[in-house]
Amino acid sequence: MFLLETFVWLQLFAAGGAFVLFPSRCRGCRCKGSFRKSIPALTASSLYGGDFAGLSAKFSPDGALIPVPEYLIPKDLLEWGEHPSCLEVIVSEAEVSSTEWSRQTISVLPAVGCGVDNLDTGKEESLLKVQALRITDDIVSFDVEHDADKKGRRAETIFSVSVGDEHRLRLILDISSSSETGFAIEPPITIALERKVSDISSGGAIADGGGLTGSRVTELLGPHLKVSTPFCNEKPLDLQTPGVKILNLPGNVTIACSEDPKESPWMLDVLHFNINEKGEAQQQVVRRSYHFEDDE
């Protein structure tokens, strides 16, 4: 078990400016500085809740893309040399209480031929027991403690994305802790780039009874997500800072954490670089500080 503190800040640069990860003046403090914000595409009130459609990709802790399992892909696609790198998803969310949120995730399986007119899907239902909730104008972050049979917790961060209409990026990290080995990010790391399609949750009913078509999914995704090269195949940023363990991922996402897994507090920064229409890069940052309880 471990304790958690979080805080959030934003910083705006001209595109191509210098970015700082784990600056020494911020380490262990509340990092009050002269930060300013650009206008987000989604505000916090709309970053969570309702229905979203998007693309979901998984990565290993070293940043390698984890392809969609072959058993989910039609043989024809594999024979043509096409192996999808991510899945299309439809996500429904609703607040059950101040500390519990429901989420239904429909994964749309790849299809060819007539299968596009009646898509196969998988459905996952979750009741999230939210902890350490932090909300700003364009970021929502929280942790979810795993069940007793799985040690550690899940850290989820949702960023507003300035692209097209209402879009968001969700980053999900599973974090384990052990007094022997310290803290670690466990596979897979999930990044989902999603577009809001409804303010009201459908409860994951959009595919009930079948009949979900490829054209309907394309309509839900919108023109910024239904592209030939999905975000997960884009080249990551190349950010490095001495003394900090850095993982750069597609979608303009960078994860920075303490090099020593046994360090207490163990610092975890989640960064997203949001490029607005003026070419300015907004650095959206959520810092988590984890402590072993017996250290307190």
Side-chain angles (χ1 to χ4, degrees), residues 8-183:
V8 178
W9 78 88
L10 301 152
Q11 190 167 3
L12 190 66
F13 305 88
F19 302 99
V20 180
L21 306 176
F22 274 11
S24 58
R25 67 181 179 86
C26 295
R27 195 173 181 81
C29 76
R30 287 288 171 175
C31 203
K32 295 179 180 178
S34 57
F35 304 127
R36 58 193 177 95
K37 294 172 283 184
S38 62
I39 299 175
L42 277 176
T43 60
S45 61
S46 54
L47 271 174
Y48 191 93
D51 278 4
F52 295 82
L55 305 175
S56 179
K58 297 184 182 299
F59 301 86
S60 65
D62 64 1
L65 178 68
I66 301 175
V68 175
E70 287 193 2
Y71 69 85
L72 296 178
I73 304 172
K75 291 183 179 180
D76 288 346
L77 280 180
L78 295 175
E79 290 174 356
W80 298 335
E82 297 186 21
H83 195 140
S85 52
C86 59
L87 288 177
E88 297 165 336
V89 293
I90 301 171
V91 180
S92 301
E93 299 166 339
E95 183 177 315
V96 178
S97 69
S98 60
T99 59
E100 290 186 333
W101 295 351
S102 68
R103 174 181 289 158
Q104 296 82 31
T105 303
I106 298 171
S107 299
V108 181
L109 304 185
V112 294
C114 296
V116 176
D117 296 325
N118 189 7
L119 294 167
D120 288 330
T121 61
K123 187 174 182 179
E124 178 184 354
E125 299 197 41
S126 304
L127 181 63
L128 308 178
K129 296 182 179 180
V130 177
Q131 301 177 348
L133 176 65
R134 295 291 184 270
I135 299 175
T136 67
D137 287 345
D138 54 0
I139 300 175
V140 173
S141 69
F142 56 90
D143 277 32
V144 178
E145 190 166 352
H146 287 310
D147 295 333
D149 60 343
K150 185 178 182 181
K151 294 182 179 180
R153 65 175 64 209
R154 172 164 292 182
E156 181 163 339
T157 312
I158 306 174
F159 298 103
S160 174
V161 178
S162 297
V163 55
D165 46 13
E166 298 183 331
H167 288 72
R168 71 178 188 179
L169 183 143
R170 283 193 300 126
L171 175 66
I172 301 175
L173 302 174
D174 284 318
I175 302 169
S176 64
S177 64
S178 165
S179 58
E180 291 80 19
T181 59
F183 295 95

Side-chain angles (χ1 to χ4, degrees), residues 232-253:
C232 55
N233 290 337
E234 296 175 353
K235 186 178 179 180
L237 299 170
D238 185 16
L239 303 179
Q240 301 296 329
T241 295
V244 179
K245 186 176 181 180
I246 300 293
L247 176 60
N248 296 304
L249 294 168
N252 295 334
V253 170

Side-chain angles (χ1 to χ4, degrees), residues 1-4 177-183 261-266 290-296:
M1 292 293 294
F2 46 88
L3 301 178
L4 164 72
S177 64
S178 165
S179 58
E180 291 80 19
T181 59
F183 295 95
K262 294 184 179 180
E263 185 175 79
S264 184
W266 185 73
Y290 292 101
H291 312 252
F292 284 103
E293 285 187 332
D294 56 7
D295 289 340
E296 299 300 303

Side-chain angles (χ1 to χ4, degrees), residues 200-238:
I200 301 174
S201 172
S202 67
I206 192 169
D208 286 357
L212 184 63
T213 66
S215 59
R216 176 56 176 158
V217 172
T218 297
E219 177 187 354
L220 292 171
L221 290 175
H224 293 281
L225 295 182
K226 195 64 177 180
V227 292
S228 57
T229 303
F231 79 93
C232 55
N233 290 337
E234 296 175 353
K235 186 178 179 180
L237 299 170
D238 185 16

Side-chain angles (χ1 to χ4, degrees), residues 186-199:
E186 300 292 340
I189 297 169
T190 301
I191 301 179
L193 185 59
E194 299 163 334
R195 169 178 176 258
K196 189 155 197 176
V197 296
S198 175
D199 290 327

